[in-house]
Amino acid sequence: MKVYGARLSNSFSGVWELYVVTDEMSLHWPEHSFGRTDPIPTLQERADALAKLGYVLADDAGWQWQECPTGVTRRVPLLASANVRRKDGAA
């Protein structure tokens, strides 16, 4: 079963967005905007968004957080990632 990388980010437009990296060359990855800057989407909201996109967390997967510092006085963008698989089991 193929595993993909899901990303939850607030770094581009400031609102929380979830997207699934399906291949390295695409500019049209499946994506979902939560339409808000706060609060961080809950685990259930992330699971629901993934399901709408046709994905679920891979077995034993969890969200890993990373700060992306841009400077001492600027907002710190956050990025979370998790391994996901297609909901229907397709590759």
Side-chain angles (χ1 to χ4, degrees):
M1 190 169 303
K2 187 164 175 126
V3 176
Y4 302 91
R7 306 288 185 267
L8 176 70
S9 172
N10 72 344
S11 61
F12 296 110
S13 62
V15 299
W16 288 102
E17 300 172 325
L18 184 143
Y19 57 95
V20 178
V21 180
T22 55
D23 62 53
E24 292 183 25
M25 302 306 285
S26 179
L27 298 177
H28 304 286
W29 295 324
E31 62 183 47
H32 172 83
S33 175
F34 292 95
R36 67 178 192 250
T37 56
D38 282 314
I40 296 170
T42 66
L43 290 172
Q44 188 61 56
E45 288 175 312
R46 290 178 237 167
D48 292 346
L50 282 171
K52 286 179 187 174
L53 297 175
Y55 294 86
V56 295
L57 284 177
D59 297 335
D60 299 325
W63 291 93
Q64 303 295 315
W65 286 92
Q66 174 184 2
E67 289 186 356
C68 306
T70 55
V72 227
T73 60
R74 299 179 80 192
R75 180 178 66 87
V76 178
L78 296 173
L79 174 71
S81 61
N83 289 332
V84 298
R85 61 178 173 75
R86 292 286 311 253
K87 204 164 56 168
D88 60 9

